[in-house]
Amino acid sequence: MNEQISAASLYDRVSRVIPKAEWMGFQDDVEAILDLKRKRNAVILAHNYQTPEIFHGVADIVGDSLALARKAMEVEADVIVLAGVHFMAETAKLLNPGKTVLIPDMAAGCSLADSITPEDIALLRKAYPGVPVVTYVNTSAAVKAASDICCTSGNARQVVESLGVPRVLMLPDEYLAKNVARETNVELIAWRGHCEVHELFTADDIRELRESHPGITVLAHPECPPDVVEAADFSGSTAVMSDYVSRERPARVVLLTECSMSDNVAVHHPDVEFIRPCNLCPHMKRITLGNIRTALEENRHEVTIDPTIAVAARRAVERMLAI
Ligand code: SF4
Protein backbone atom coordinates (compact mmCIF):
# COMPACT_ATOMS: atom_id res chain seq x y z
CA MET A 1 0.00 0.00 0.00
CA ASN A 2 1.19 3.50 -0.83
CA GLU A 3 -0.82 5.50 1.70
CA GLN A 4 2.11 6.64 3.82
CA ILE A 5 4.36 7.40 0.86
CA SER A 6 4.74 10.77 -0.85
CA ALA A 7 4.96 11.16 -4.62
CA ALA A 8 8.49 12.52 -4.31
CA SER A 9 9.75 9.47 -2.40
CA LEU A 10 8.08 7.13 -4.88
CA TYR A 11 10.34 8.36 -7.64
CA ASP A 12 13.21 6.12 -6.49
CA ARG A 13 11.09 3.13 -7.45
CA VAL A 14 10.55 4.18 -11.04
CA SER A 15 13.68 6.19 -11.80
CA ARG A 16 14.99 3.48 -14.18
CA VAL A 17 12.00 3.76 -16.47
CA ILE A 18 10.61 7.30 -16.03
CA PRO A 19 12.79 10.38 -16.65
CA LYS A 20 12.76 12.84 -13.75
CA ALA A 21 11.22 15.63 -15.84
CA GLU A 22 8.33 13.36 -16.83
CA TRP A 23 7.77 12.30 -13.23
CA MET A 24 7.54 15.96 -12.16
CA GLY A 25 4.51 16.21 -14.45
CA PHE A 26 2.90 13.19 -12.71
CA GLN A 27 3.58 14.29 -9.15
CA ASP A 28 0.48 16.44 -8.60
CA ASP A 29 -1.88 13.66 -9.77
CA VAL A 30 -0.01 11.02 -7.74
CA GLU A 31 -0.29 13.12 -4.53
CA ALA A 32 -3.98 13.80 -5.19
CA ILE A 33 -4.72 10.11 -5.85
CA LEU A 34 -2.91 8.95 -2.71
CA ASP A 35 -4.98 11.46 -0.73
CA LEU A 36 -8.28 10.50 -2.42
CA LYS A 37 -7.65 6.81 -1.71
CA ARG A 38 -7.35 7.60 2.00
CA LYS A 39 -10.44 9.82 2.03
CA ARG A 40 -12.65 7.41 0.07
CA ASN A 41 -11.29 4.16 1.53
CA ALA A 42 -10.43 3.07 -2.00
CA VAL A 43 -7.92 0.68 -3.52
CA ILE A 44 -6.52 0.65 -7.04
CA LEU A 45 -6.12 -2.66 -8.84
CA ALA A 46 -3.76 -2.32 -11.81
CA HIS A 47 -3.07 -4.77 -14.61
CA ASN A 48 0.51 -5.54 -15.64
CA TYR A 49 -0.02 -3.50 -18.84
CA GLN A 50 -0.58 -0.23 -16.99
CA THR A 51 2.11 2.43 -17.30
CA PRO A 52 4.79 2.54 -14.55
CA GLU A 53 3.51 5.76 -12.96
CA ILE A 54 0.21 3.95 -12.33
CA PHE A 55 1.61 0.47 -11.67
CA HIS A 56 4.37 1.55 -9.29
CA GLY A 57 3.02 4.99 -8.32
CA VAL A 58 -0.58 4.59 -7.15
CA ALA A 59 -1.65 0.94 -7.44
CA ASP A 60 -2.29 -1.13 -4.29
CA ILE A 61 -2.68 -4.49 -6.03
CA VAL A 62 -1.05 -5.40 -9.33
CA GLY A 63 -1.03 -8.52 -11.47
CA ASP A 64 -2.46 -10.37 -14.43
CA SER A 65 -6.19 -11.02 -14.95
CA LEU A 66 -6.17 -14.10 -12.73
CA ALA A 67 -4.35 -12.40 -9.85
CA LEU A 68 -6.60 -9.34 -10.06
CA ALA A 69 -9.72 -11.53 -10.03
CA ARG A 70 -8.51 -13.44 -6.97
CA LYS A 71 -7.50 -10.26 -5.13
CA ALA A 72 -10.72 -8.44 -6.03
CA MET A 73 -12.63 -11.01 -3.98
CA GLU A 74 -10.64 -10.14 -0.87
CA VAL A 75 -10.87 -6.34 -1.06
CA GLU A 76 -12.35 -4.85 2.10
CA ALA A 77 -12.16 -1.18 1.06
CA ASP A 78 -15.39 0.55 -0.02
CA VAL A 79 -14.24 1.45 -3.51
CA ILE A 80 -12.25 -0.45 -6.14
CA VAL A 81 -10.75 1.50 -9.03
CA LEU A 82 -9.82 -0.87 -11.82
CA ALA A 83 -6.83 0.41 -13.79
CA GLY A 84 -7.27 -1.96 -16.69
CA VAL A 85 -10.00 -2.68 -19.23
CA HIS A 86 -13.76 -2.99 -18.86
CA PHE A 87 -14.04 -6.78 -18.58
CA MET A 88 -11.60 -6.68 -15.64
CA ALA A 89 -13.78 -4.14 -13.84
CA GLU A 90 -16.83 -6.32 -14.50
CA THR A 91 -14.99 -9.33 -13.08
CA ALA A 92 -14.13 -7.37 -9.92
CA LYS A 93 -17.80 -6.35 -9.56
CA LEU A 94 -18.94 -9.94 -10.09
CA LEU A 95 -16.64 -11.24 -7.39
CA ASN A 96 -17.18 -8.45 -4.87
CA PRO A 97 -20.68 -7.15 -5.67
CA GLY A 98 -21.04 -5.10 -2.48
CA LYS A 99 -18.24 -2.72 -3.48
CA THR A 100 -18.36 0.34 -5.69
CA VAL A 101 -16.25 -0.57 -8.72
CA LEU A 102 -15.04 2.29 -10.92
CA ILE A 103 -13.36 2.23 -14.30
CA PRO A 104 -11.71 5.53 -15.23
CA ASP A 105 -12.65 5.25 -18.92
CA MET A 106 -15.71 3.29 -20.07
CA ALA A 107 -14.22 2.98 -23.57
CA ALA A 108 -11.30 0.85 -22.30
CA GLY A 109 -12.38 -2.28 -24.16
CA CYS A 110 -10.63 -5.29 -25.66
CA SER A 111 -10.57 -6.78 -29.18
CA LEU A 112 -11.03 -10.27 -27.73
CA ALA A 113 -14.04 -9.27 -25.61
CA ASP A 114 -15.56 -7.55 -28.65
CA SER A 115 -15.14 -10.63 -30.86
CA ILE A 116 -17.96 -12.73 -29.38
CA THR A 117 -21.53 -12.33 -28.10
CA PRO A 118 -23.88 -14.56 -26.07
CA GLU A 119 -25.82 -15.16 -29.32
CA ASP A 120 -22.65 -16.59 -30.92
CA ILE A 121 -22.32 -18.98 -27.99
CA ALA A 122 -25.95 -20.06 -28.34
CA LEU A 123 -25.29 -20.91 -32.01
CA LEU A 124 -22.14 -22.83 -31.11
CA ARG A 125 -24.01 -24.84 -28.48
CA LYS A 126 -26.52 -25.84 -31.17
CA ALA A 127 -23.74 -26.82 -33.54
CA TYR A 128 -21.85 -28.77 -30.85
CA PRO A 129 -24.52 -30.19 -28.51
CA GLY A 130 -23.24 -31.26 -25.12
CA VAL A 131 -19.74 -29.80 -25.63
CA PRO A 132 -18.82 -27.59 -22.65
CA VAL A 133 -17.95 -23.93 -23.24
CA VAL A 134 -14.80 -22.50 -21.69
CA THR A 135 -14.46 -18.74 -22.11
CA TYR A 136 -11.38 -16.67 -21.56
CA VAL A 137 -11.86 -14.01 -18.86
CA ASN A 138 -11.31 -11.43 -21.62
CA THR A 139 -15.05 -11.42 -22.36
CA SER A 140 -18.11 -9.47 -21.26
CA ALA A 141 -20.16 -10.55 -18.24
CA ALA A 142 -22.95 -11.55 -20.66
CA VAL A 143 -20.61 -13.92 -22.51
CA LYS A 144 -19.30 -15.34 -19.24
CA ALA A 145 -22.91 -15.93 -18.20
CA ALA A 146 -23.48 -17.96 -21.37
CA SER A 147 -20.47 -20.20 -20.70
CA ASP A 148 -19.80 -23.11 -18.34
CA ILE A 149 -16.49 -21.98 -16.89
CA CYS A 150 -13.87 -19.26 -17.43
CA CYS A 151 -10.12 -19.50 -17.85
CA THR A 152 -7.14 -17.15 -18.07
CA SER A 153 -3.93 -17.53 -20.05
CA GLY A 154 -2.34 -18.69 -16.79
CA ASN A 155 -4.70 -21.62 -16.13
CA ALA A 156 -6.30 -22.48 -19.51
CA ARG A 157 -4.88 -25.99 -19.80
CA GLN A 158 -5.77 -26.82 -16.20
CA VAL A 159 -9.36 -25.61 -16.69
CA VAL A 160 -9.84 -27.53 -19.94
CA GLU A 161 -8.50 -30.76 -18.41
CA SER A 162 -10.57 -30.31 -15.23
CA LEU A 163 -13.76 -30.93 -17.23
CA GLY A 164 -12.84 -34.57 -17.93
CA VAL A 165 -14.30 -34.57 -21.45
CA PRO A 166 -12.66 -35.25 -24.84
CA ARG A 167 -13.89 -32.06 -26.57
CA VAL A 168 -14.27 -28.47 -25.41
CA LEU A 169 -15.31 -25.20 -27.06
CA MET A 170 -12.55 -22.77 -26.07
CA LEU A 171 -13.54 -19.18 -26.82
CA PRO A 172 -12.84 -16.59 -28.10
CA ASP A 173 -9.04 -16.49 -28.54
CA GLU A 174 -8.07 -18.67 -31.49
CA TYR A 175 -4.35 -18.49 -30.79
CA LEU A 176 -4.66 -19.24 -27.09
CA ALA A 177 -6.79 -22.29 -27.97
CA LYS A 178 -4.25 -23.46 -30.56
CA ASN A 179 -1.34 -22.95 -28.18
CA VAL A 180 -3.10 -24.85 -25.39
CA ALA A 181 -4.11 -27.59 -27.85
CA ARG A 182 -0.44 -28.47 -28.26
CA GLU A 183 -0.17 -29.24 -24.55
CA THR A 184 -3.28 -31.34 -24.01
CA ASN A 185 -5.08 -34.37 -25.42
CA VAL A 186 -8.44 -32.59 -25.16
CA GLU A 187 -9.74 -31.52 -28.59
CA LEU A 188 -10.27 -27.74 -28.56
CA ILE A 189 -12.75 -26.07 -30.89
CA ALA A 190 -11.70 -22.44 -31.33
CA TRP A 191 -13.31 -19.15 -32.31
CA ARG A 192 -11.76 -16.45 -34.50
CA GLY A 193 -11.07 -13.83 -31.85
CA HIS A 194 -7.60 -12.29 -31.60
CA CYS A 195 -5.81 -9.89 -29.30
CA GLU A 196 -4.94 -6.92 -31.49
CA VAL A 197 -1.67 -6.48 -29.59
CA HIS A 198 -0.31 -10.03 -29.61
CA GLU A 199 -1.44 -10.96 -33.13
CA LEU A 200 1.07 -8.42 -34.51
CA PHE A 201 4.16 -10.38 -33.45
CA THR A 202 5.68 -12.66 -36.10
CA ALA A 203 8.23 -15.46 -36.17
CA ASP A 204 10.34 -13.17 -38.41
CA ASP A 205 10.48 -10.65 -35.54
CA ILE A 206 12.05 -13.37 -33.40
CA ARG A 207 14.57 -14.36 -36.12
CA GLU A 208 15.63 -10.72 -36.49
CA LEU A 209 15.91 -10.26 -32.73
CA ARG A 210 18.13 -13.31 -32.40
CA GLU A 211 20.41 -11.98 -35.18
CA SER A 212 20.63 -8.45 -33.83
CA HIS A 213 20.85 -9.41 -30.13
CA PRO A 214 22.87 -12.62 -29.78
CA GLY A 215 22.04 -14.66 -26.70
CA ILE A 216 18.63 -13.03 -26.22
CA THR A 217 15.92 -14.97 -24.37
CA VAL A 218 12.53 -14.64 -26.05
CA LEU A 219 9.37 -14.91 -23.93
CA ALA A 220 6.02 -14.92 -25.74
CA HIS A 221 2.49 -14.49 -24.42
CA PRO A 222 0.13 -17.37 -25.35
CA GLU A 223 -2.17 -14.91 -27.16
CA CYS A 224 0.58 -14.69 -29.84
CA PRO A 225 0.18 -16.79 -33.02
CA PRO A 226 1.32 -20.43 -32.57
CA ASP A 227 4.39 -20.07 -34.84
CA VAL A 228 5.57 -17.19 -32.63
CA VAL A 229 5.11 -19.23 -29.46
CA GLU A 230 6.94 -22.11 -31.11
CA ALA A 231 9.89 -19.90 -32.09
CA ALA A 232 10.15 -18.40 -28.57
CA ASP A 233 12.22 -19.89 -25.73
CA PHE A 234 9.33 -19.84 -23.30
CA SER A 235 5.65 -18.95 -23.27
CA GLY A 236 3.42 -17.94 -20.40
CA SER A 237 0.99 -15.40 -19.02
CA THR A 238 2.33 -12.05 -17.86
CA ALA A 239 2.65 -13.37 -14.29
CA VAL A 240 4.57 -16.41 -15.51
CA MET A 241 6.86 -14.23 -17.66
CA SER A 242 7.61 -12.03 -14.68
CA ASP A 243 8.39 -15.09 -12.52
CA TYR A 244 10.64 -16.46 -15.28
CA VAL A 245 12.73 -13.25 -15.33
CA SER A 246 13.02 -13.27 -11.51
CA ARG A 247 14.02 -16.91 -11.42
CA GLU A 248 16.30 -17.25 -14.46
CA ARG A 249 17.81 -13.73 -14.56
CA PRO A 250 18.55 -13.82 -18.32
CA ALA A 251 21.26 -11.33 -19.28
CA ARG A 252 19.11 -10.07 -22.14
CA VAL A 253 15.42 -10.66 -22.67
CA VAL A 254 12.49 -9.62 -24.84
CA LEU A 255 8.89 -9.94 -23.68
CA LEU A 256 6.60 -10.34 -26.68
CA THR A 257 3.62 -8.63 -25.13
CA GLU A 258 2.29 -5.18 -24.28
CA CYS A 259 4.98 -2.48 -23.88
CA SER A 260 4.38 -1.48 -20.26
CA MET A 261 5.00 -5.03 -19.08
CA SER A 262 8.75 -4.71 -19.77
CA ASP A 263 8.92 -1.34 -18.01
CA ASN A 264 7.14 -2.68 -14.95
CA VAL A 265 9.30 -5.81 -14.69
CA ALA A 266 12.52 -3.88 -15.48
CA VAL A 267 12.01 -1.76 -12.35
CA HIS A 268 12.85 -4.83 -10.25
CA HIS A 269 15.73 -6.13 -12.39
CA PRO A 270 18.49 -3.58 -13.01
CA ASP A 271 20.83 -6.45 -13.98
CA VAL A 272 18.65 -7.61 -16.91
CA GLU A 273 18.72 -5.90 -20.32
CA PHE A 274 15.18 -5.58 -21.71
CA ILE A 275 15.00 -5.32 -25.49
CA ARG A 276 12.00 -4.00 -27.42
CA PRO A 277 9.91 -4.50 -29.68
CA CYS A 278 6.64 -4.48 -27.95
CA ASN A 279 3.15 -3.38 -28.98
CA LEU A 280 0.89 -0.92 -27.19
CA CYS A 281 -2.66 -1.82 -26.21
CA PRO A 282 -4.75 1.27 -27.05
CA HIS A 283 -7.45 0.16 -24.60
CA MET A 284 -5.11 -0.21 -21.62
CA LYS A 285 -3.56 3.15 -22.50
CA ARG A 286 -6.92 4.89 -22.07
CA ILE A 287 -6.28 4.70 -18.32
CA THR A 288 -4.18 7.60 -17.06
CA LEU A 289 -3.35 9.20 -13.73
CA GLY A 290 -5.67 12.05 -14.74
CA ASN A 291 -8.74 9.90 -15.26
CA ILE A 292 -7.99 7.77 -12.16
CA ARG A 293 -8.00 11.01 -10.17
CA THR A 294 -11.29 12.11 -11.77
CA ALA A 295 -12.80 8.67 -11.16
CA LEU A 296 -12.13 9.04 -7.43
CA GLU A 297 -13.15 12.70 -7.28
CA GLU A 298 -16.42 12.26 -9.18
CA ASN A 299 -17.22 8.60 -8.49
CA ARG A 300 -17.22 7.61 -12.12
CA HIS A 301 -17.67 5.42 -14.09
CA GLU A 302 -19.46 2.97 -11.86
CA VAL A 303 -19.65 -0.57 -13.21
CA THR A 304 -23.03 -2.26 -12.86
CA ILE A 305 -24.15 -5.67 -14.09
CA ASP A 306 -27.68 -6.93 -14.69
CA PRO A 307 -28.44 -9.17 -11.67
CA THR A 308 -29.58 -12.14 -13.78
CA ILE A 309 -26.42 -12.01 -15.87
CA ALA A 310 -24.31 -11.51 -12.75
CA VAL A 311 -25.47 -14.75 -11.11
CA ALA A 312 -24.55 -16.92 -14.11
CA ALA A 313 -21.34 -15.03 -14.89
CA ARG A 314 -20.18 -15.26 -11.28
CA ARG A 315 -20.77 -18.99 -11.33
CA ALA A 316 -18.48 -19.37 -14.39
CA VAL A 317 -15.71 -17.31 -12.78
CA GLU A 318 -16.04 -18.99 -9.37
CA ARG A 319 -15.85 -22.45 -10.99
CA MET A 320 -12.51 -21.38 -12.44
CA LEU A 321 -11.23 -19.98 -9.16
CA ALA A 322 -12.17 -23.19 -7.37
CA ILE A 323 -9.73 -25.23 -9.51
S1 SF4 B 1 -3.72 -6.48 -24.67
FE1 SF4 B 1 -5.08 -7.60 -26.06
S2 SF4 B 1 -6.23 -8.94 -24.69
FE2 SF4 B 1 -5.31 -7.36 -23.39
S3 SF4 B 1 -6.88 -5.74 -23.26
FE3 SF4 B 1 -5.52 -5.19 -24.99
S4 SF4 B 1 -6.58 -6.06 -26.77
FE4 SF4 B 1 -7.46 -7.07 -24.97
Side-chain angles (χ1 to χ4, degrees):
M1 303 280 272
N2 295 321
E3 275 76 356
Q4 304 307 320
I5 303 172
S6 72
S9 67
L10 275 171
Y11 184 64
D12 284 349
R13 243 188 240 181
V14 291
S15 57
R16 287 193 66 237
V17 292
I18 303 181
K20 183 82 179 176
E22 208 178 313
W23 179 256
M24 299 300 281
F26 294 142
Q27 215 161 298
D28 182 49
D29 281 333
V30 171
E31 295 280 11
I33 291 167
L34 296 180
D35 189 42
L36 282 159
K37 283 198 300 179
R38 280 189 291 268
K39 286 186 178 140
R40 295 212 52 196
N41 190 22
V43 291
I44 297 177
L45 271 59
H47 187 265
N48 289 333
Y49 296 160
Q50 291 297 297
T51 49
E53 68 277 11
I54 294 173
F55 190 92
H56 293 286
V58 298
D60 300 284
I61 296 167
V62 295
D64 62 3
S65 309
L66 180 59
L68 293 184
R70 286 193 191 284
K71 296 286 183 185
M73 286 172 89
E74 296 162 10
V75 167
E76 287 180 0
D78 298 325
V79 179
I80 296 173
V81 179
L82 206 302
V85 295
H86 190 262
F87 75 81
M88 296 175 179
E90 276 192 333
T91 306
K93 183 69 182 175
L94 284 175
L95 295 172
N96 209 334
K99 306 299 176 188
T100 299
V101 177
L102 304 176
I103 179 134
D105 187 332
M106 281 298 255
C110 170
S111 64
L112 277 170
D114 289 345
S115 74
I116 193 158
T117 64
E119 292 74 27
D120 294 326
I121 296 188
L123 289 174
L124 285 165
R125 285 199 189 272
K126 271 193 192 148
Y128 297 96
V131 177
V133 175
V134 174
T135 52
Y136 199 20
V137 285
N138 299 33
T139 48
S140 66
V143 163
K144 288 181 177 76
S147 62
D148 295 298
I149 185 168
C150 290
C151 74
T152 70
S153 57
N155 64 14
R157 178 186 164 186
Q158 224 184 334
V159 167
V160 161
E161 294 184 346
S162 76
L163 299 172
V165 293
R167 235 166 37 138
V168 164
L169 279 152
M170 189 170 171
L171 315 170
D173 187 343
E174 179 185 16
Y175 296 149
L176 178 67
K178 288 186 169 167
N179 287 322
V180 173
R182 288 200 306 222
E183 301 169 357
T184 179
N185 292 326
V186 179
E187 183 194 345
L188 300 181
I189 302 159
W191 185 247
R192 287 288 175 89
H194 297 146
C195 162
E196 68 187 84
V197 172
H198 293 102
E199 71 176 348
L200 298 179
F201 293 109
T202 67
D204 278 344
D205 291 339
I206 298 184
R207 268 189 290 281
E208 282 164 23
L209 277 163
R210 292 201 195 280
E211 276 169 26
S212 56
H213 298 87
I216 194 167
T217 300
V218 181
L219 310 188
H221 193 280
E223 289 168 12
C224 292
D227 61 329
V228 171
V229 169
E230 203 168 346
D233 298 299
F234 182 79
S235 173
S237 65
T238 53
V240 171
M241 282 190 199
S242 178
D243 289 348
Y244 180 98
V245 174
S246 303
R247 190 178 65 245
E248 303 293 333
R249 299 290 174 123
R252 194 177 248 189
V253 70
V254 61
L255 310 184
L256 297 184
T257 189
E258 213 276 343
C259 297
S260 292
M261 175 74 190
S262 290
D263 290 338
N264 290 329
V265 179
V267 163
H268 300 297
H269 300 289
D271 51 329
V272 176
E273 184 188 4
F274 287 81
I275 306 293
R276 306 302 198 253
C278 58
N279 292 316
L280 279 172
C281 173
H283 311 290
M284 288 281 180
K285 268 37 197 182
R286 282 183 171 275
I287 308 301
T288 63
L289 287 175
N291 59 24
I292 291 174
R293 178 176 177 172
T294 309
L296 283 164
E297 282 170 345
E298 299 180 10
N299 200 49
R300 68 177 200 198
H301 305 272
E302 188 167 355
V303 175
T304 54
I305 304 171
D306 176 290
T308 322
I309 288 175
V311 170
R314 188 177 305 121
R315 192 165 45 227
V317 177
E318 284 176 348
R319 277 189 78 187
M320 168 188 83
L321 294 176
I323 290 174

